[in-house]
Amino acid sequence: MSTTASPVQQRVELDAIVIGAGFSGMYQLLSLRDKLGMKVKVLEAGDGVGGTWYWNRYPGARCDSESHSYMFYFSKEMVNEWTWTERYPQQPEILRYLNHVADRFELRRDIQLNTRVDSASYDQASQRWHVRTQDGQHFVAQFLITGVGCLSTANVPNIPGLNDFKGQWIHTGQWPHGGVDFSGKRVGVIGTGSTGIQTIPVVAAQAQHLTVFQRTANYSIPARNAPLSDAFKRYAKEHAEGIRYIMNTNTNAHPFRMVERSVLATHPAEREAIMEAAWIKGGLEFRAAFKDTLADAQANKVVADFIRKKIHQVVKDPAVAHLLSDIDHPFAAKRPPVDSNYFETFNRDNVSLVNIRATPIERITAEGIQTQDQVYPLDIIIFATGFDAMTGSLLKIDIQGRDGVKLKDSWAAGPINYLGLQVPGFPNMFTITGPGSPSVLCNLPPAIEQHVDWITDCIRTLRDTGVSTIEATEPASQSWCEEVNRAANASLLGQVKHSWYLGANVPGKPQVFMPYAGGFGKYSEICREVAADNYRGFALGA
Ligand code: N01
């Protein structure tokens, strides 16, 4: 009998390892390789580039940032070359764009697909990160940069009996590449966040019957999606610099500014007209019609009541309208969805709404979903139940810093870091759009560009000045966490205790407000000042 030993994997020596080939990982590769001449490899679990937009292929998947803002701006040439077709890009179009980026900058030769990173550990003696993959490969580099995405680890709730279900169940973030045929099927959707609200109208149009299981009613603003006119396409290219400036200097990195106008100081008839106009225009800009919507509970109630009234105008059955508008949190204190015919969908004969706050789901049976008072027979269950956001994808990797300290232990009480960029005890590791940065409160591409540019400038400075390690200090990290907390509590964002911004959607997750709510423009300014002040709050080592 002969035995075959598994082949000994050679270790691959690099300057930097980047995890993830979405917007973040690809721009980080391009920056370090082409601007600094470094030897870089991107390790990506999927068999294509695109990150979030590679995995989230559910019907109706579309970005809720406007297309002319949901792109890279670092290359003027690419801004001029690429033309979006609709006001909000659909998932396939965004994936085409990201593949175009990969081809245009010849990124593929340094991206290794189908490679899931298992662990990363820092060796203090050699000042190197050792990264090991699920299939036993070993990479070594001075710098480790994570671009793992903020919303990439699917959260499938632990409902008893899921394995008994005879039909098909799918999480929206792990959608089958071949698609799903809903025709003639009884479909159930659990979840009415941004994803549920996008997918429900599309599934309803195909399924024999759709049952929506709603735990928390949600606000939604009409997206008013439409093909882009030639005039707008021209405008977006001709004004690219101005659009970029607005995004980089405002609160949420969107291509519009918040209007300096208070809800309460505006005459009721006038503010009604303003909200009506913003509703007709549609999209996330609705949130920017007044400056105090998220700052003042009374102001927020005026805007929230306007949306509730709209829901009652659209939904014909008053009992269903009541259920959909019985919303328990201030408007925009949880991520506000935008939609295409979400509320209208509940006027269809083949759609029903189940209030699982009143009659919770007890279990999943072979036949379908059993709530406290009824069984709903189903062929397909869609979990639009969100993600283990911001920290989930980082903590899935066994990351060990100095002295073998594990990231999961370091973050046992919530993510501690400095500027959302570095964790104390983890030298030369950077987290693109990590917790503690504005990230998910922003239109993400500008936030990613800002992080990647900062990290690239930082590494360039280290190399130019002969510094080999950089590490966030404990005191700077502690005071940054206090600032993150302060910023959340300065607005209504800090008042909602059951949001994924705090990790409240994942059982056992420490509840700490994770993104930085002080505003993207202000945050970028802080990052610039810190770098200019010889990387204040970071320890630099020879
Ligand atoms: O996830 P969510 P999402 N039983 O966590 C419900 C981004 N995004 O995928 O509120 C029953 O917001 C849960 O109910 P509740 C965007 O940032 C962007 O929709 O916990 N229900 C909620 O209704 C967004 O915010 C785009 O009571 C359960 C829903 O599932 C983020 O992704 C498009 C449950 C989860 O909502 C996440 O959105 C789509 C349970 N056990 C998403 N567990 C763009 O366009 C959870 N729920 C860029």
Side-chain angles (χ1 to χ4, degrees), residues 434-502:
S437 73
S439 56
V440 291
L441 299 178
C442 288
N443 170 38
L444 270 160
I448 288 167
E449 279 195 6
Q450 185 263 338
H451 260 193
V452 170
D453 289 343
W454 192 93
I455 293 166
T456 306
D457 285 346
C458 173
I459 292 177
R460 179 192 285 119
T461 306
L462 300 184
R463 288 161 69 99
D464 288 352
T465 53
V467 172
S468 51
T469 61
I470 181 165
E471 178 184 344
T473 66
E474 285 281 353
S477 304
Q478 286 300 345
S479 64
W480 182 250
C481 288
E482 283 160 23
E483 168 60 9
V484 172
N485 225 4
R486 185 209 58 75
N489 290 324
S491 79
L492 300 177
L493 283 166
Q495 289 185 9
V496 177
K497 298 299 172 208
H498 53 274
S499 129
W500 62 258
Y501 289 154
L502 282 114

Side-chain angles (χ1 to χ4, degrees), residues 238-476:
E238 285 167 10
H239 294 82
E241 276 311 307
I243 291 167
R244 187 181 196 196
Y245 177 76
I246 292 173
M247 294 193 297
N248 284 345
T249 50
N250 71 16
T251 313
N252 300 106
H254 283 288
F256 46 78
R257 293 219 183 270
M258 193 168 286
V259 182
E260 277 297 315
R261 170 170 63 198
S262 147
V263 173
L264 299 176
T266 307
H267 187 278
E270 191 188 342
R271 72 188 179 211
E272 186 75 11
I274 290 166
M275 289 189 285
E276 190 62 42
W279 185 264
I280 296 297
K281 188 169 187 196
L284 289 172
E285 197 170 349
F286 180 86
R287 188 177 50 170
F290 297 97
K291 66 174 182 187
D292 52 352
T293 308
L294 252 183
D296 181 292
Q298 254 186 304
N300 192 284
K301 185 169 180 316
V302 171
V303 180
D305 283 347
F306 175 87
I307 303 172
R308 289 194 181 94
K309 185 184 73 187
K310 286 290 181 192
I311 298 171
H312 277 274
Q313 283 171 2
V314 170
V315 180
K316 291 187 184 135
D317 181 333
V320 175
H322 174 73
L323 251 186
L324 290 167
S325 59
D326 188 13
I327 306 171
D328 66 358
H329 52 276
F331 168 62
K334 288 169 100 173
R335 174 72 141 63
V338 303
D339 70 275
S340 297
N341 297 321
Y342 174 63
F343 295 115
E344 289 81 350
T345 297
F346 292 91
N347 293 331
R348 294 177 66 106
D349 291 337
N350 71 333
V351 175
S352 44
L353 181 64
V354 177
N355 177 2
I356 54 170
R357 181 157 295 188
T359 53
I361 295 176
E362 283 197 326
R363 62 178 298 110
I364 292 175
T365 67
E367 310 306 328
I369 291 180
Q370 182 182 323
T371 64
Q372 251 172 22
D373 65 346
Q374 209 178 318
V375 174
Y376 296 87
L378 298 168
D379 303 304
I380 299 174
I381 300 173
I382 298 174
F383 288 95
T385 45
F387 302 90
D388 182 352
M390 306 214 67
T391 55
S393 300
L394 283 169
L395 295 178
K396 259 201 323 208
I397 303 169
D398 178 15
I399 302 180
Q400 294 186 30
R402 260 189 305 109
D403 308 321
V405 172
K406 287 180 182 277
L407 186 63
K408 82 170 167 31
D409 295 331
S410 212
W411 284 5
I416 292 174
N417 64 22
Y418 185 36
L419 299 172
L421 279 161
Q422 265 216 333
V423 186
F426 297 76
N428 289 0
M429 180 177 101
F430 296 93
T431 50
I432 303 175
T433 63
S437 73
S439 56
V440 291
L441 299 178
C442 288
N443 170 38
L444 270 160
I448 288 167
E449 279 195 6
Q450 185 263 338
H451 260 193
V452 170
D453 289 343
W454 192 93
I455 293 166
T456 306
D457 285 346
C458 173
I459 292 177
R460 179 192 285 119
T461 306
L462 300 184
R463 288 161 69 99
D464 288 352
T465 53
V467 172
S468 51
T469 61
I470 181 165
E471 178 184 344
T473 66
E474 285 281 353

Side-chain angles (χ1 to χ4, degrees), residues 4-22:
T4 15
S6 52
V8 178
Q9 300 268 7
Q10 294 230 316
R11 55 190 244 175
V12 179
E13 307 273 348
L14 301 157
D15 295 320
I17 298 163
V18 179
I19 309 177

Side-chain angles (χ1 to χ4, degrees), residues 52-53 56 58 60-65 70 88-89 94 150-151 155-159 171-173 189-198 213-218 284 328-329 334-338 356-357 361 383-389 440-444 498-501 504-507:
T52 291
W53 298 103
N56 282 267
Y58 58 87
R62 188 186 286 284
C63 185
D64 54 15
S65 293
Y70 202 76
Y88 306 89
I94 304 173
C150 302
L151 297 156
N155 175 36
V156 179
N158 190 10
I159 302 174
H171 186 281
T172 48
V189 172
I190 303 177
T192 51
S194 301
T195 303
I197 282 176
Q198 282 188 337
F213 296 86
Q214 173 188 277
R215 188 164 70 181
T216 305
N218 215 339
L284 289 172
D328 66 358
H329 52 276
K334 288 169 100 173
R335 174 72 141 63
V338 303
I356 54 170
R357 181 157 295 188
I361 295 176
F383 288 95
T385 45
F387 302 90
D388 182 352
V440 291
L441 299 178
C442 288
N443 170 38
L444 270 160
H498 53 274
S499 129
W500 62 258
Y501 289 154
N505 62 329
V506 175

Side-chain angles (χ1 to χ4, degrees), residues 170-201:
I170 319 148
H171 186 281
T172 48
Q174 300 166 336
W175 203 260
H177 285 200
V180 179
D181 183 7
F182 296 107
S183 45
K185 297 287 194 324
R186 298 160 304 174
V187 183
V189 172
I190 303 177
T192 51
S194 301
T195 303
I197 282 176
Q198 282 188 337
T199 207
I200 282 164

